[in-house]
Amino acid sequence: MRTAWRWGFVNVLVVAYALVPVLWIASLSFKTPATINDGNFIPRAWTLDNYRGIFQTDQFIRALVNSLGIAAISTAIAVLLGLLAAYAIARLSFPGKNLLVAISLMIAMFPQVSLISPLFQIERALGLFDTWWGLILPYITFSLPLAIQTLSAFFQQVPWELEKAAVMDGATQGQAFRKVIAPLAAPGVVTGAILVFIFCWNDFLFAISLTSTERSRTVPVALSFFTGESQFEDPTGSISAAAVVITVPVILFVLLFQRRIVSGLTSGAVKG
Amino acid sequence: MLAVTGWPIVYAVWLSLQRFDLKFPDEQKFVGLANYATVLTNSYWWTAFGVTMLITVVSVAIELVLGMALAYVMHRTVVGRGLVRTSVLIPYGIVTVVAAFSWRYAWTPGTGYLADLYGGAAPLTERASSLAIIILAEVWKTTPFMALLLMAGLVLVPDDLVKAASVDGANGWQRFTRVMLPVMRPAILVALLFRTLDAFRIFDNIYILTRGANETSSVSILAYNNLIKGLNVGIGSTMSVLIFLTVAAIAYVFVRVLGTSAPGETSGAAPGGERR
């Protein structure tokens, strides 16, 4: 019984560790302008004005649309490419396979800032600077290793005999993949997609360096430029509210897919 | 992938050999290694380099200890296991900028619940306390990632082995250092490698917390400032190349000297980094 209590206490500590900063920014977002500087962890007076405020400004809505669009397109493409690559890695042996895996892992560890100056130049020359595609391309590159690694870990667990069995039973190779393998690999695809989406949603360095206007600025960048409705207004409340809004998807993912994310992040580390 | 990373890095090397300032576009010319001389003899670069190294070493060290504890809790706890694992993923998933703002407001005098701990002065306006807060923010955000990687190693420790050691009279600490750590060694090294390389490119937290004021710039902040704020493509590229070389050197040390199994030797060997 005593151990149970001890573990319970430790668990509470862990949960508090994870949640306190999140609750704090949420608390700030509900405070009224008069009480926002009182330093109280729990608001003394509650208000939704900060949320109303940010959704009335073009600045935030535009950034939210950019963030969602860019992250969604990048995720879709990265997962599709990752699916093909992971299938090839898991199923086929071809020259340069190990090289492909090595390169993809090197990119995962690449210092992104080293790419900022060349990409800045290249994108200005190609007219991609400050566009959606200007961000989508680097996002795909940097999230592809994540997608490949998660998906190939899943593919390794797929019982490939099933595919053979399906072909024996008269299915074509394509049918066998679509009807037998794809459903089995679906959890892997979901996991990969979530991890890639979180990566794109999170990025700040590329977003702040490769954009210059509201046209393609994403929320994390817009947050750092927030000034409030007039220059005399303290933006703390608006920033907090916007911060909470972009945290909601992350929390939803974590709540719904905790198991998947854990297995996706740890897959392969075991073999490392 | 090569098109977006390989070609640009070659291009960055090329740019770094030029005098190229967008404020004076007509004066672009090839200057050889002059930019490298400029950067490497500049005290700002070395200050930023020292700061980055300090943040990397201190935060990775704290994360290793804390992450190990967290991994152990996640591995062993039975009641509320799902809750613990779910909440631990929140720091990992949350947008770094959001977390950084949360810490910034927490330490702002008047506004923040933590500011009084610092006697009412503004901790983010002084160098030592700013660095401490940057490290705190970094540790909070990335310990869960470290813990998950370590947990993957912890799962590999056979229960029988631990029990056998216990029967042979090993106490808790001996079981940990003599039995569990050796089995976990590969997982620990992979986790350290990933986090060290990741910590070295720290940008978001510093940008939001101090903007690099009071000599708290990391090399990434410095490169960004030269390039985007200063529009000096030549110097910015030189710094990019230097950062790339440093990271390559760190990776080399890990793989060759410490014997981390090189990622890529087994397919899908190691998980991807975060990001920011």
Side-chain angles (χ1 to χ4, degrees), chain A residues 156-229:
Chain A
Q156 273 160 12
Q157 294 161 8
V158 168
W160 296 103
E161 295 76 27
L162 277 182
E163 191 185 42
K164 269 190 215 136
V167 175
M168 293 271 248
D169 289 346
T172 64
Q173 196 75 36
Q175 278 174 328
F177 182 78
R178 270 201 321 278
K179 303 225 164 124
V180 179
I181 299 305
L184 285 172
V189 174
V190 173
T191 310
I194 293 170
L195 293 180
V196 170
F197 189 89
I198 289 180
F199 170 82
C200 302
W201 191 246
N202 235 305
D203 172 75
F204 182 65
L205 181 56
F206 283 125
I208 197 170
S209 309
L210 301 177
T211 66
S212 59
T213 63
E214 283 178 22
R215 199 151 66 101
S216 57
R217 211 171 254 166
T218 57
V219 183
V221 180
L223 269 187
S224 72
F225 284 108
F226 252 24
T227 45
E229 271 164 61

Side-chain angles (χ1 to χ4, degrees), chain B residues 118-169:
Chain B
Y118 200 69
L124 283 170
T125 58
E126 281 164 43
R127 189 171 185 220
S129 47
S130 300
L131 288 175
I133 293 173
I134 290 167
I135 290 172
L136 168 75
E138 183 76 0
V139 166
W140 178 77
K141 169 96 175 95
T142 51
T143 299
F145 180 67
M146 180 78 113
L148 286 173
L149 295 191
L150 293 176
M151 192 175 76
L154 207 51
V155 175
L156 289 186
V157 180
D159 273 346
D160 295 347
L161 204 61
V162 180
K163 278 200 197 107
S166 173
V167 171
D168 289 344

Side-chain angles (χ1 to χ4, degrees), chain A residues 11 17-18 20-21 24 37 39 105 109-110 114 117-118 121 141 149 156 202 204 208 224 239 250 254 258 265-266 268 272, chain B residues 4 8 20 77 79 86-87 93 95-96 102 106 110-111 113 140 148 197 201 204 207 227 237 240 244 261 267 269 271-272:
Chain A
N11 288 352
Y17 163 87
V20 162
W24 162 243
N37 287 325
L105 279 149
M109 292 188 263
F110 202 82
S114 294
S117 63
Q121 279 300 100
T141 310
Q149 167 249 318
Q156 273 160 12
N202 235 305
F204 182 65
I208 197 170
S224 72
I239 289 181
V250 172
V254 167
Q258 178 257 121
L265 282 174
T266 52
Chain B
V4 188
F20 191 177
T77 193
V79 187
T86 304
S87 46
V95 179
T96 315
S102 174
T111 311
Y113 65 105
W140 178 77
L148 286 173
L197 297 185
R201 49 187 189 193
D204 309 12
Y207 188 91
L227 183 73
S237 301
S240 299
F244 174 70
S261 66
S267 60

Side-chain angles (χ1 to χ4, degrees), chain A residues 7 10-11 14-15 17-22 24-25 28 31 36-41 89 97-98 100-105 107-122 124 137-138 141-142 144-146 148-149 152 156 195 198-199 201-205 208-210 220-221 223-225 235-236 239-240 242-244 246-247 250-251 254-255 257-259 261-262 264-272, chain B residues 1-2 4-5 7-9 11-12 15 20 22 66 70 72-73 76-77 79-98 101-103 105-106 110-113 139-141 143-145 148-149 151-152 156 186-187 190 193-194 197 201 203-204 207-208 211 219-220 223-224 227-228 231 233 236-237 239-241 243-244 247 261 263-276:
Chain A
W7 278 115
V10 171
N11 288 352
V14 172
V15 174
Y17 163 87
L19 290 187
V20 162
V22 183
W24 162 243
I25 197 109
L28 271 180
K31 286 182 174 180
I36 200 149
N37 287 325
D38 65 3
N40 240 30
F41 194 83
I89 289 169
K97 174 170 146 177
N98 281 335
L100 178 70
V101 176
I103 289 175
S104 94
L105 279 149
I107 291 176
M109 292 188 263
F110 202 82
Q112 288 142 345
V113 74
S114 294
L115 288 189
I116 290 303
S117 63
L119 279 181
F120 180 69
Q121 279 300 100
I122 294 171
R124 278 181 339 121
L137 286 178
T141 310
F142 274 95
L144 203 48
L146 200 62
I148 292 179
Q149 167 249 318
S152 51
Q156 273 160 12
L195 293 180
I198 289 180
F199 170 82
W201 191 246
N202 235 305
D203 172 75
F204 182 65
L205 181 56
I208 197 170
S209 309
L210 301 177
V221 180
L223 269 187
S224 72
F225 284 108
T236 306
I239 289 181
S240 308
V244 171
I246 60 168
T247 305
V250 172
I251 296 196
V254 167
L255 286 179
F257 300 108
Q258 178 257 121
R259 235 167 256 273
I261 300 176
V262 170
L265 282 174
T266 52
S267 66
V270 178
K271 278 165 271 138
Chain B
M1 288 193 298
L2 275 180
V4 188
T5 50
W7 162 238
I9 203 71
Y11 188 49
L15 286 173
F20 191 177
L22 290 179
L66 213 56
L70 204 55
Y72 190 73
V73 171
R76 291 298 298 275
T77 193
V79 187
R81 185 182 211 158
L83 178 70
V84 167
R85 292 191 178 184
T86 304
S87 46
V88 155
L89 282 179
I90 288 177
Y92 164 78
I94 200 171
V95 179
T96 315
V97 173
V98 168
F101 267 117
S102 174
W103 290 115
Y105 291 140
T111 311
Y113 65 105
V139 166
W140 178 77
K141 169 96 175 95
T143 299
F145 180 67
L148 286 173
L149 295 191
M151 192 175 76
L156 289 186
V190 167
L193 171 67
F194 268 97
L197 297 185
R201 49 187 189 193
F203 180 81
D204 309 12
Y207 188 91
I208 299 298
R211 300 242 163 167
V219 283
S220 294
Y224 168 83
L227 183 73
I228 307 291
L231 294 176
V233 177
S237 301
M239 290 177 174
S240 299
V241 174
I243 294 169
F244 174 70
V247 164
S261 66
E265 277 173 11
T266 51
S267 60
E274 151 209 339
R275 337 61 93 231
R276 348 155 86 216

